[in-house]
Amino acid sequence: MIRILLADDHPVVREGLRGMLAAEPDLEVVAEASNGPQAEALAARLAPEGGLDLILMDLRMPGGDGVESIARITAARLPVRVVVLTTYEEDRDILRAVEAGAAGYLLKDMARAELAAAIRAAVRGETVLAPTVAGRLVDRLRSRPSLPRLSEREVAVLRLVAEGATNAEIGRRLFVAESTVKTHMLRIFGKLEVADRTAAVTTAMRHGLL
């Protein structure tokens, strides 16, 4: 049985998805969340005990952005796959979700059988993308320059960030001033094209830089 968490701020959408998935004998909705932080809390409680296999995550929800939650779930290394299910297919949303660690990006207009098949594939470890999303992602990545290499010191800083260290702690451990650490972080953000520490870590991990 594949255990699923629905994260969407619209109750009617969650109810519809629950009804659709109930028709599949191997799929079970075990929890619902109306925003990203709720989904994170439920994942942290259910996934480690084997009670959750996959999260269907909407992107734009009041009270918590879906992409930010995907990044935190990925950084926490929870044993659960997260697949975006949304109405939005803008390049920026797709790239942010994939870089945050999403195992797939699906659109809400897909048929029940297609959604069920995508869920099964994602749980098997495959990446699942709506056809239009896959095309847009390939086009965007082809035109996007490759990420620059991080210096040894930048990698060392980012490893400590991944461990949860603050700038002050990183400075003490690397024997440099806190202002120097901040400079390294700004350069890391620029090279990885991210805006925060969590995104920097997850992006570096996905590209094999850590």
Side-chain angles (χ1 to χ4, degrees):
M1 183 66 71
I2 297 175
R3 299 167 182 84
I4 301 165
L5 163 63
L6 304 178
D8 195 292
D9 60 312
H10 295 101
V12 68
V13 172
R14 298 198 304 271
E15 182 178 351
L17 287 171
R18 180 183 283 274
M20 289 174 61
L21 299 177
E24 303 293 330
D26 59 334
L27 306 181
E28 178 186 9
V29 175
V30 297
E32 297 182 15
S34 60
N35 57 48
Q38 287 181 9
E40 293 172 48
L42 286 166
R45 178 167 61 86
L46 297 173
E49 300 176 358
L52 184 64
D53 302 298
L54 181 134
I55 301 172
L56 287 179
M57 180 83 75
D58 193 12
L59 285 187
R60 303 178 188 178
M61 297 177 284
D65 175 73
V67 171
E68 293 175 359
S69 292
I70 293 170
R72 284 190 285 266
I73 290 170
T74 300
R77 299 181 180 273
L78 293 175
V80 62
R81 304 277 281 175
V82 186
V83 172
V84 172
L85 183 62
T86 184
T87 57
Y88 304 101
E89 54 178 321
E90 297 176 8
D91 290 356
R92 179 175 178 272
D93 291 328
I94 296 168
L95 288 170
R96 286 182 66 228
V98 171
E99 290 177 347
Y105 198 107
L106 306 175
L107 302 177
K108 289 179 178 178
D109 61 356
M110 67 191 312
R112 187 195 79 197
E114 295 174 335
L115 177 59
I119 289 172
R120 296 182 186 108
V123 172
R124 288 196 301 266
E126 301 174 26
T127 299
V128 293
L129 299 171
T132 56
V133 169
R136 295 172 72 104
L137 184 61
V138 169
D139 290 342
R140 181 64 182 267
L141 291 178
R142 280 176 178 166
S143 63
R144 186 180 187 183
S146 58
L147 288 172
R149 294 180 61 87
L150 299 180
S151 69
E152 291 185 10
R153 179 48 61 94
E154 288 166 349
V155 170
V157 168
L158 201 50
R159 282 178 177 153
L160 292 174
V161 171
E163 294 175 8
T166 64
N167 286 351
E169 292 169 340
I170 293 171
R172 287 194 295 270
R173 293 175 67 174
L174 296 182
F175 304 103
V176 297
E178 184 176 352
S179 60
T180 301
V181 175
K182 291 180 180 178
T183 299
H184 284 311
M185 289 304 305
L186 289 174
R187 288 176 179 167
I188 290 169
F189 289 172
K191 288 183 177 182
L192 299 184
E193 299 180 6
V194 298
D196 58 62
R197 297 162 76 91
T198 300
V201 171
T202 55
T203 299
M205 290 174 62
R206 288 184 62 80
H207 288 276
L209 300 177
L210 283 182

